[in-house]
């Protein structure tokens, strides 16, 4: 057998032995909770096996995840909304209550959306998308003007002062202008525009560096979470 | 020699990262944590509330960011419940319901809370920004019943809540763009409620403009933010315990960057014929 | 037929787009009621939109199984695990699909022990690759790249406790980097993105941008 097959079988054997040991020693309970921890650990290690090499165990775990996740999310749409707000609206009325007949309109739009998969009736789905996208675009415009443009320009143009805060404000003003000029591609970045956009690039590099540092932090945090689960909840070493 | 250093098998790097993370966790190393002013501001927002004030906590994250966000959620809720604040929890991401349920159940057991009086869990509604718009006008229209099917009118806590203006504080725990592209333009901008947030570390740098403009009153960024908040509430939770591992992992990665660049520049100098 | 296929949807987009803009500026309770109702409609339509994605996913895997394409066994695993989870979704801990969601049951068990474990692990794998990339590919080849790496190193050390133990410089410098140059750059990006989003929204409302309709003009 190939070396990888030995590694794979050895890993499975080790996993089984460790779990049997944990259950026998009482560190893991022999019930659904204990089985849950073992399942979680197994899925975690199966996915981490990708770090050694792409392998069938990783692909198996990945596809199990895809199936479970998509069904779970369907449940989250079904219970609160499709059943809770639509079906129950007409089937679980109390005495004296009337249904909200206006809900038939978004229900119809939602069902029309599903015609996307029919070659003959796909054009009907355009009405749903037109409503959704058109209304979304309309709601966006005034809110973005107010909360992103006006609300962000005002603190940028605060009065400067001869202090550390004043210096920082000046740096922010220069940086915002530099970045905006950099992203203004309708004007060639030569001469004055070129120099200003160069300043913008410097600010962008600092910002991307900060984002990279935080991204490293985020990914390491996720790793810490999984390692903590394996060491504490599964192996009880912590 | 330098080339061998540059061509090292990446699995060795993986093992070093794993050792850097696992060793401090196994040793139980603890490093002192100093809160930053953004986290202090979020803490102060909850400290300012009086007993009985109602806080809306929005869970907008999924299972992939549990290690960062769950400690944050626990710290915020622990602080709020210690101050006798009422919590109404909603979810704007479908995956968040199971995660929110777990945190709320743990807090309810710890603080002996009464459902419907001290806290309520309204569950998930699809629609992203439209949920916030809906809530802004009529909370009961957005969440006519809680996650378990009880009508919002029948819960003592949610019965008097009509719109977002009725909340004394809104706290969003986000792994996506809900803070920046949903809550601020569709909620905070129109209804002007005090707004603080916790987010994954990836997003934190993007939110500094909103801290500066006053649209966001406090921010917890990633596991470090959660650890700082735990320090402020004097509770050593998962986040605080993870910061030593975080520190050593960062040191290792900084070392990789420095060694990698040093090796690269040395190899360039010793092979001038390959310079462009 | 072109009117119903193309023109009328564009009119619908224009009408609802203008409605979305106008109701923002009308404080009258009638306009606010319209806004509330529209938000409710968007929420409900959104719920059906998920079914589109779900169908695409299941259809993709089903076609792979039917055609015995490469890796079709894994597609079988995906469909099987989907079916198992759907069984628990429908069973709803004994209450069935036409009742409120149950607090516990197989559905919750699979979420806690499979979904959460897998989702967290998938993203945490990136920690290893980011470390490998930091060593093998992040090179300060230009002054701009060097600036990026220096900023990254300062932030990486400044945001963890060990940075303060090494030197007070790191947390102080991190604080300044985030609150001044980073803020300036992000604000510039935000302004640019907002202007772009507004321009795109106007193009959608006025029917210049039609890609959301999909397909040809038939």
């Amino acid at each position: 057998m190939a070396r990888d097959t030995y590694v794979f079988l050895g890993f499975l054997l080790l996993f089984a032995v460790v779990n049997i040991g944990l259950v026998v020693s009482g560190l893991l309970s022999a019930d659904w909770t204990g089985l849950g921890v073992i399942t979680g650990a197994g899925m975690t290690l199966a996915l981490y096996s990708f770090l050694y090499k792409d392998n069938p165990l990783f692909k198996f775990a990945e596809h199990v995840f895809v199936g479970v996740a998509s069904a779970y999310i369907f449940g989250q749409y079904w219970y609160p909304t499709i059943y809770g707000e639509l079906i129950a609206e007409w089937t679980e009325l109390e005495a004296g209550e009337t249904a909200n007949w206006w809900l038939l309109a978004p229900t119809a739009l939602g069902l029309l959306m599903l015609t996307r998969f029919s070659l003959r009736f796909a054009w009907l789905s355009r009405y749903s998308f037109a409503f959704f996208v058109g209304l979304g675009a309309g709601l966006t415009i005034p809110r973005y003007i107010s909360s992103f443009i006006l609300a962000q320009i005002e603190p940028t143009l605060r009065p400067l002062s001869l202090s550390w805060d004043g210096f920082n404000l000046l740096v922010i003003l220069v940086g915002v202008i530099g970045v905006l000029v950099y992203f203004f591609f309708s004007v060639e970045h030569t001469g004055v525009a070129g120099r200003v956009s160069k300043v913008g690039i410097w600010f962008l590099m600092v910002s991307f560096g900060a984002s990279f540092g935080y991204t490293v932090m985020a990914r390491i945090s996720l790793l810490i979470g999984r390692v903590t689960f394996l060491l504490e909840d599964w192996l009880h070493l912590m | 020699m330098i080339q061998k250093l540059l061509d090292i098998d990446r699995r060795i790097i993986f093992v070093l990262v794993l050792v850097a993370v696992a060793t401090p966790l196994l040793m139980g190393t603890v490093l002192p944590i100093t809160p930053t002013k953004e986290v202090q501001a979020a803490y102060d927002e909850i400290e300012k509330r009086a007993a009985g004030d109602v806080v809306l906590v929005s869970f907008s994250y999924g299972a992939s960011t549990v290690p960062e966000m769950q400690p944050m959620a626990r710290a915020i809720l622990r602080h709020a419940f210690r101050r006798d604040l009422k919590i109404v929890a909603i979810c704007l991401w479908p995956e968040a319901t199971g995660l929110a349920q777990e945190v709320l159940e743990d807090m309810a057991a710890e603080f002996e809370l009464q459902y419907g009086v001290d806290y309520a869990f309204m569950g998930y509604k699809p629609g992203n920004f439209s949920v916030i718009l809906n809530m802004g006008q009529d909370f009961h229209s957005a969440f006519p019943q809680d996650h378990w099917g009880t009508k919002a009118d029948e819960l003592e806590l949610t019965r008097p809540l009509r719109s977002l203006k009725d909340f004394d504080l809104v706290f969003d725990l986000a792994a996506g763009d809900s803070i920046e592209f949903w809550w601020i333009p569709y909620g905070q901008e129109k209804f002007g409620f005090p707004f603080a947030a916790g987010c994954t570390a990836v997003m934190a740098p993007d939110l500094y403009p909103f801290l500066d403009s006053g649209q966001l009153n406090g921010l917890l960024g990633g596991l470090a933010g959660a650890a700082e908040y735990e320090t402020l509430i004097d509770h050593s939770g998962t986040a605080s315990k993870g910061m030593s591992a975080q520190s050593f992992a960062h040191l290792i990665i900084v070392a990789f960057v420095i060694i990698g660049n040093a090796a690269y520049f040395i190899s360039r100098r010793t092979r001038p014929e390959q310079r462009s | 037929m072109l009117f119903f296929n193309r023109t009328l949807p564009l009119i619908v987009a224009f009408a609802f787009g203008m409605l979305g803009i106008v109701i923002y500026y009308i404080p009258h309770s009638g306009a606010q009621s319209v806004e509330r109702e529209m938000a409710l409609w968007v929420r409900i339509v959104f719920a059906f939109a998920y079914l589109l994605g779900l169908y695409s996913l299941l259809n993709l895997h089903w076609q792979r199984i039917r055609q015995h394409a490469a890796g079709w066994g894994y597609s079988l695993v995906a469909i099987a695990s989907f079916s198992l989870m759907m069984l628990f979704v429908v069973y709803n801990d004994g209450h069935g699909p036409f009742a409120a969601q149950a607090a516990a049951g197989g559905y919750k068990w699979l979420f806690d022990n499979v979904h959460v474990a897998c989702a967290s692990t998938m993203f945490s794998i990136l920690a290893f690759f980011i470390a490998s990339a930091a060593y093998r590919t992040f090179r300060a080849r230009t002054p701009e790249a060097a600036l990026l790496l220096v900023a990254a190193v300062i932030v990486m050390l400044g945001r963890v406790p060990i940075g303060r133990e090494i030197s007070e410089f790191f947390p102080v410098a991190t604080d300044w980097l985030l609150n001044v140059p980073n803020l300036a750059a992000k604000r510039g990006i935000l302004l640019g993105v907002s202007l772009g989003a507004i321009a795109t929204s106007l193009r959608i409302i006025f029917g210049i941008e039609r890609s959301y309709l999909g397909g040809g003009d038939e």
Side-chain angles (χ1 to χ4, degrees), chain C residues 97-159:
Chain C
F98 299 107
Q101 191 173 358
Y107 177 62
K108 186 85 175 57
W109 189 94
L110 279 171
F111 174 75
D112 289 338
N113 299 299
V114 176
H115 183 114
V116 172
C118 290
S120 308
T121 308
M122 289 288 236
F123 277 74
S124 71
I125 288 177
L126 291 170
F128 296 102
F129 291 117
I130 223 170
S132 173
Y135 181 74
R136 291 149 80 95
T137 57
F138 292 157
R139 299 285 179 254
R141 289 196 176 94
T142 62
E144 289 84 3
L147 181 62
L148 189 152
L149 284 176
V150 166
V153 166
I154 291 173
V155 169
M156 270 195 275
L157 291 176
R159 287 302 283 126

Side-chain angles (χ1 to χ4, degrees), chain A residues 81 85 100 102-103 106 131, chain B residues 126 130-131 133-134 141-142 144, chain C residues 34-46:
Chain A
T81 304
E85 284 192 87
N100 180 3
W102 283 107
L103 288 179
F131 159 76
Chain B
S130 62
V131 181
L133 211 56
N134 209 178
S141 163
Chain C
V34 169
E35 189 180 73
R36 185 193 63 228
E37 203 62 30
M38 289 297 104
L40 176 63
W41 286 23
V42 168
R43 285 206 296 103
I44 288 168
V45 173
F46 201 95

Side-chain angles (χ1 to χ4, degrees), chain A residues 172-222:
Chain A
I172 289 171
L173 180 62
V174 167
V176 171
I177 292 170
V179 168
L180 284 172
V181 169
Y182 172 75
F183 283 119
F184 193 60
F185 297 119
S186 306
V187 165
E188 208 181 327
H189 288 177
T190 53
V192 173
R195 283 194 288 277
V196 174
S197 82
K198 190 80 179 168
V199 169
I201 290 173
W202 286 88
F203 277 83
L204 285 168
M205 289 299 117
V206 171
S207 168
F208 294 153
S211 292
F212 171 65
Y214 263 91
T215 302
V216 167
M217 186 163 93
R219 302 299 170 221
I220 296 289
S221 300
L222 301 182

Side-chain angles (χ1 to χ4, degrees), chain B residues 5 8 32 37 63 95 101 125-126 134 137 147-148 189-190 205-206 209 212 228 250 261 264-265, chain C residues 24 32 35-36 43 100-101 103 115 120 123 135-136 138-141 156 159 161 165 179 182 186-187:
Chain B
L5 202 60
I8 201 169
K37 65 178 192 295
E95 285 181 83
Q101 182 186 339
K125 286 288 181 219
N134 209 178
Q137 302 291 352
H147 187 58
W148 317 119
E189 180 269 338
K190 184 166 179 180
D206 297 349
D212 183 57
E228 289 166 29
H250 280 209
N261 275 278
Y264 167 72
F265 283 111
Chain C
Y24 178 83
Q32 300 310 302
E35 189 180 73
R36 185 193 63 228
R43 285 206 296 103
Q101 191 173 358
H115 183 114
S120 308
F123 277 74
Y135 181 74
R136 291 149 80 95
F138 292 157
R139 299 285 179 254
R141 289 196 176 94
M156 270 195 275
R159 287 302 283 126
E165 300 297 310
N179 282 288
N182 167 70
K186 295 291 189 221
R187 183 167 281 164

Side-chain angles (χ1 to χ4, degrees), chain A residues 1-17:
Chain A
M1 279 195 286
R3 190 182 79 154
D4 286 345
T5 311
Y6 283 119
V7 169
F8 174 70
L9 289 173
F11 167 76
L12 283 180
L13 190 64
L14 182 64
F15 185 71
V17 164

Side-chain angles (χ1 to χ4, degrees), chain A residues 48 76 79 126-127 143 214, chain C residues 4 35 89 107 124 159 216:
Chain A
Y48 276 146
Q76 296 311 305
Y79 284 105
R126 290 180 172 185
Y127 290 95
R143 287 166 180 81
Y214 263 91
Chain C
F4 291 106
E35 189 180 73
V89 167
Y107 177 62
S124 71
R159 287 302 283 126

Side-chain angles (χ1 to χ4, degrees), chain A residues 1-205:
Chain A
M1 279 195 286
R3 190 182 79 154
D4 286 345
T5 311
Y6 283 119
V7 169
F8 174 70
L9 289 173
F11 167 76
L12 283 180
L13 190 64
L14 182 64
F15 185 71
V17 164
V18 165
N19 284 311
I20 290 167
L22 288 168
V23 171
V24 161
S25 64
L27 288 171
L28 279 181
S29 53
D31 57 9
W32 285 110
T33 306
L35 181 63
V37 173
I38 292 170
T39 306
M43 298 302 282
T44 301
L45 294 171
L47 289 168
Y48 276 146
S49 68
F50 182 77
L51 296 167
Y52 176 70
K53 206 185 268 194
D54 192 7
N55 61 84
L57 197 59
F58 168 80
K59 288 201 187 78
F60 173 81
E62 188 186 35
H63 284 77
V64 165
F65 170 50
V66 163
V68 166
S70 43
Y72 176 81
I73 292 171
F74 172 79
Q76 296 311 305
Y77 282 98
W78 173 262
Y79 284 105
T81 304
I82 298 175
Y83 165 72
E85 284 192 87
L86 294 178
I87 296 174
E89 176 70 23
W90 289 298
T91 59
E92 292 178 12
L93 290 167
E94 286 172 7
E97 261 188 358
T98 49
N100 180 3
W101 292 101
W102 283 107
L103 288 179
L104 283 174
T107 309
L109 285 169
L111 291 169
L112 279 179
M113 202 179 255
L114 302 179
T115 61
R116 191 79 154 182
F117 296 113
S118 158
L119 281 171
R120 201 167 149 205
F121 297 109
W123 60 274
L124 285 169
S125 67
R126 290 180 172 185
Y127 290 95
S128 304
F129 287 105
F131 159 76
F132 193 80
V133 174
L135 183 65
L139 291 170
T140 295
I141 293 170
R143 287 166 180 81
Y144 273 34
I145 291 172
S146 173
S147 52
F148 289 163
I149 296 175
L150 299 176
Q152 290 296 317
I153 288 177
E154 188 269 329
T156 311
L157 298 175
R158 285 189 199 124
L160 303 175
S161 59
L162 286 174
S163 63
W164 182 241
D165 284 343
F167 170 74
N168 287 339
L169 276 173
L170 180 63
V171 172
I172 289 171
L173 180 62
V174 167
V176 171
I177 292 170
V179 168
L180 284 172
V181 169
Y182 172 75
F183 283 119
F184 193 60
F185 297 119
S186 306
V187 165
E188 208 181 327
H189 288 177
T190 53
V192 173
R195 283 194 288 277
V196 174
S197 82
K198 190 80 179 168
V199 169
I201 290 173
W202 286 88
F203 277 83
L204 285 168
M205 289 299 117

